Amino acid sequence: MAILEPFIPPSRENWELLTYFWQFYPIFASLQFVTNWYPMGKTSYESRFNVPGKIGWVTMEAPGFITLLYIMFTLPQKNGLDSLPGANWLMAALFTIHYIYRALLAPLFLNPSMSPIHILIWSNALIFQLCNATCIGGWLAGYGPTTSDDWAGQVFAIEVGMMIFGAGLLGNIYHDDELREIRRAAARNQKRKRQAVKEGGKASEDSVAKVYMLPKNGLFQLVLFPHYLCEWVEWGGWWMIGGLSCTPARCFLLNEIASMLPRALNGRQWYVEKFGKDAVGKRKAIIPGVL
């Protein structure tokens, strides 16, 4: 059953058209270089157009892997395929694992709090997820390799790609948790302040404000956004599994870089303005010693 015939799952014509234009997403993403307006996370602000942080994050991120899985289970039958190669399901599984962590576990169970997300940022992220999942899903579910022979000679690349993906995922989780610990510490501190108020004390002005610190562990010693870098490593390994000819995997990695690089550079400037050049030191934004 098609959710939106002939787009989800996509017809070959629509999939080819979307995949072609998806290669030009970096042009749109590059607009971030000319503005630092990004009302999400540490740069969010109060607005009637905000979506609550956790709800917004789940609803803009989870549709991606849900759409991918839906296409994986419906498109083969539509195209008369009895089964798909194991490598196709491997790539789908790794994609799903990443987003179960990113879209469900992190916001709902791990993050102590999340700042609100502006509806424009939310809608752009949702569109990104749907387009990306449709491009990838179409390739994995019938418009890319459809037999084991199509994967012949790629065992070594798959094994190395899986190790790179795993290293990137673990690094992503580790550095995410370093940021979460700052919020957990701030929450504990604010809880103590609220308790002091109840006991007759006086609350300081920042008792309910956002609290930020410069993280220092792991790759945070070298760059300010190592979780972004680790995510690039993840999807670089994932592209390696699919092979250099896997256009959707290549687009995903390049589109991620195009989206996240401007945010990292603007974010470094935010840290400099917040804590000063001396505190930030020689740490780069995202690539150690380079950028």
Side-chain angles (χ1 to χ4, degrees):
M1 180 182 71
I3 294 178
L4 188 61
E5 186 73 34
F7 298 101
I8 302 177
S11 65
R12 176 175 283 275
E13 293 77 13
N14 286 334
W15 175 77
E16 290 178 347
L17 185 65
L18 176 61
T19 302
Y20 173 76
F21 282 107
W22 196 230
Q23 298 175 85
F24 300 101
Y25 178 83
I27 297 175
F28 172 75
S30 66
L31 294 175
Q32 295 178 97
F33 283 114
V34 299
T35 179
N36 59 5
W37 185 81
Y38 191 73
M40 174 179 166
K42 60 180 173 289
T43 52
S44 66
Y45 56 84
E46 291 186 11
S47 170
R48 69 179 66 184
F49 301 109
N50 280 348
V51 180
K54 293 191 176 187
I55 294 173
W57 191 268
V58 172
T59 54
M60 76 184 191
E61 294 285 320
F65 80 86
I66 293 172
T67 298
L68 174 70
L69 292 177
Y70 176 80
I71 293 173
M72 291 292 292
F73 282 103
T74 57
L75 187 59
Q77 182 180 10
K78 179 181 177 181
N79 290 338
L81 296 173
D82 294 328
S83 62
L84 294 170
N88 295 44
W89 286 106
L90 171 65
M91 291 186 71
L94 295 177
F95 184 95
T96 301
I97 288 170
H98 171 88
Y99 277 103
I100 285 177
Y101 161 70
R102 178 180 171 86
L104 299 179
L105 295 179
L108 296 179
F109 302 102
L110 300 176
N111 294 350
S113 63
M114 296 188 72
S115 298
I117 303 168
H118 195 280
I119 189 67
L120 290 180
I121 302 297
W122 178 90
S123 58
N124 178 68
L126 176 61
I127 292 170
F128 182 97
Q129 287 294 336
L130 293 175
C131 291
N132 189 55
T134 301
C135 289
I136 292 170
W139 191 84
L140 291 175
Y143 303 140
T146 55
T147 68
S148 297
D149 290 340
D150 292 330
W151 291 94
Q154 291 186 236
V155 173
F156 179 75
I158 290 173
E159 291 176 345
V160 174
M162 287 179 63
M163 290 188 287
I164 294 174
F165 178 91
L169 177 60
L170 292 176
N172 191 3
I173 293 172
Y174 171 81
H175 292 100
D176 277 351
D177 201 61
E178 287 297 310
L179 295 175
R180 280 192 286 266
E181 180 53 33
I182 292 176
R183 279 175 279 175
R184 287 192 290 260
R188 291 191 296 267
N189 186 44
Q190 291 184 0
K191 184 178 179 179
R192 287 193 296 268
K193 290 180 179 180
R194 287 193 295 268
Q195 186 63 33
V197 171
K198 291 180 181 179
E199 296 174 357
K202 183 179 179 181
S204 65
E205 293 182 357
D206 66 345
S207 61
V208 293
K210 293 182 180 180
V211 177
Y212 294 103
M213 297 172 57
L214 276 167
K216 298 179 180 179
N217 296 325
L219 290 176
F220 279 113
Q221 300 175 65
L222 302 175
V223 294
L224 293 168
F225 291 84
H227 46 311
Y228 285 14
L229 176 61
C230 289
E231 191 163 333
W232 295 357
V233 171
E234 270 189 85
W235 299 121
W238 197 73
W239 179 20
M240 187 174 184
I241 294 172
L244 294 179
S245 63
C246 181
T247 300
R250 184 193 73 232
C251 285
F252 186 19
L253 174 60
L254 296 181
N255 290 348
E256 284 268 290
I257 293 173
S259 296
M260 298 161 79
L261 179 58
R263 298 207 298 267
L265 295 175
N266 288 335
R268 186 182 188 279
Q269 182 59 35
W270 181 90
Y271 274 110
V272 170
E273 293 173 359
K274 181 76 173 179
F275 299 101
K277 289 184 178 180
D278 291 339
V280 172
K282 296 182 179 180
R283 280 181 283 188
K284 300 295 186 179
I286 194 166
I287 301 176
V290 179
L291 193 63

